[in-house]
Amino acid sequence: MTWLGDWLRELILVVLMAAFVEMLLPGKSMERYARLVLSLLVLLTMLSPVVSLLKGDAAKELSVALVQQEQRGGLLRGAGRGAGTLEQILADGRMLAAGAKEQSLQLAAEEVAGQMQEQVAGSTGLQGVKVTVKLGLGLASGLGGEEVPVITGVTVSLPAASGTGPNSGTEAGAGTGAEPIRVEPVVPVQVQIGESEGGAAREATAGAAGGVNGGQDAGAADVAATAEGIIRMLETSWNLERGIIQVAGNPADTGKS
Amino acid sequence: MEIIQVVGIGLLSTVLILVLKEQKPMFAFLLTTAAGILIFLFLIGKIGTILGTLERVAESSGMEMIYIKTVFKIIGISYIAEFGAQIVRDAGQESIASKIELAGKVLIMVLAVPIISIIIETVMKLLPA
């Protein structure tokens, strides 16, 4: 029912504005003509739900028509020349088609990203993973050189919880002296660090907290393994090349250096 | 108190024009035009305030900006055409003044063409083939 409210509000505003503008007009001679255009605007606003059902957004249609009118060389020349030459019409058509293609690519990219997100969440169990997909047009070999949408880039952003571990891990990984950190669940773990380093690492992977001080390397490796798993899964299920998949928050780089 | 300034300019220029008209009609016309432009420039800021308010209200209420743009174009065309026609009429060229008015009317009608076409197309789609 929100559309009804929006429509009513817009209608009331247009009618009010028309009444106001009519008073603003300088002389009587223009009044009839201005009133005609204003009443047409009111009519268009009244019909806008029907127009949006049949043709698309009424306001967008109007703005496209006005822009085309201006592009034909201003109001006077645009009116004189009529519909324009065939080349102009074809160029306009190509422009509109390109716009529509871009829009559909964007929609498809969002759809694919949503599916990938579900897959990643299902396979890794990680919540809050964000997937961004870039779609481009490429020539398909099997379809006689026709342009088809191709995935040109996939970016997977892992949630912050799994990304915090590796950042602090670079500092603490070398020194096994292990100062206590601020995260509270660490406190019972700290006791085990004194006994053996390996034990702490095992604790970190088992707890899957990613913030355990002594087990930073193990946490980083864990996230790296997750990233590797995501990349491999996307590679196989979407038939993608490895180079175009990027996992943000991937600790593999920091772990190696 | 701006109205006093406007009326002052108008009265002063009228007296001067009446004096000049006998001696130098050409200068009288120039003075008429200058006084007209001066008053118009004086008012243009006020018109801008009104239009700015309209635009702000429309923007805040989520109204489509294309409607506002069309309305502003109508106002602009009618002001400029009316102003030009009056200057020419003052110079005694009634026929040219009416041509300027005609141009203004045609240009306002041209603005209606896209709106009419959208409405007609919608109605034609509603009708059974």
Side-chain angles (χ1 to χ4, degrees), chain A residues 26-34 76, chain B residues 74 76-90 93-110:
Chain A
K28 287 266 175 201
S29 58
M30 302 280 169
E31 213 176 272
R32 278 168 59 204
Y33 299 87
L76 265 182
Chain B
I74 296 170
I77 289 170
S78 51
Y79 265 96
I80 292 167
E82 191 78 26
F83 182 68
Q86 272 171 8
I87 288 176
V88 176
R89 198 169 281 136
D90 284 343
Q93 301 295 321
E94 183 66 37
S95 61
I96 293 179
S98 63
K99 300 293 182 298
I100 292 176
E101 278 183 350
L102 175 74
K105 288 168 187 172
V106 169
L107 288 180
I108 290 177
M109 290 303 289
V110 167

Side-chain angles (χ1 to χ4, degrees), chain A residues 9-10 13-14 17 20-21 24-26 29-30 33 36-37 40-41 51 55 59 62-63 66 69-70, chain B residues 50 61 63-64 66-68 71 73-74 78-79 81-82 105 108-110 114-116 118 121-122 125:
Chain A
R9 194 173 54 192
E10 196 165 291
L13 271 168
V14 168
M17 192 181 66
F20 193 69
V21 164
L24 214 64
L25 287 173
S29 58
M30 302 280 169
Y33 299 87
L36 172 78
V37 181
L40 279 172
L41 269 182
V51 175
K55 270 172 74 77
L62 184 60
S63 61
L66 283 174
Q69 201 178 49
E70 273 174 20
Chain B
I50 297 170
S61 57
M63 192 178 154
E64 294 291 348
I66 190 71
Y67 296 155
I68 279 278
V71 168
K73 275 183 189 169
I74 296 170
S78 51
Y79 265 96
E82 191 78 26
K105 288 168 187 172
I108 290 177
M109 290 303 289
V110 167
I115 308 174
I116 293 175
I118 290 173
E121 276 173 35
T122 311
K125 278 191 181 171

Side-chain angles (χ1 to χ4, degrees), chain A residues 104-119:
Chain A
S104 60
L105 273 182
Q106 208 176 338
L107 272 174
E110 280 170 19
E111 188 73 22
V112 170
Q115 284 184 19
M116 282 184 179
Q117 209 164 310
E118 275 174 25
Q119 270 188 351

Side-chain angles (χ1 to χ4, degrees), chain A residues 24, chain B residues 39-40 42-54 72 75-76 79:
Chain A
L24 214 64
Chain B
I39 293 171
F40 190 70
F42 194 77
L43 289 178
I44 220 160
K46 308 289 170 195
I47 297 169
T49 313
I50 297 170
L51 296 187
T53 312
L54 266 180
F72 285 0
I75 297 174
Y79 265 96

Side-chain angles (χ1 to χ4, degrees), chain A residues 147-161:
Chain A
E147 278 193 330
V148 288
V150 176
I151 297 175
T152 54
V154 178
T155 315
V156 182
S157 317
L158 295 177

Side-chain angles (χ1 to χ4, degrees), chain A residues 68-92:
Chain A
Q68 277 175 353
Q69 201 178 49
E70 273 174 20
Q71 275 176 352
R72 284 205 295 265
L75 294 172
L76 265 182
R77 272 188 283 165
R81 235 190 288 166
T85 59
L86 180 65
E87 283 78 22
Q88 272 178 335
I89 296 169
L90 286 174
D92 286 350

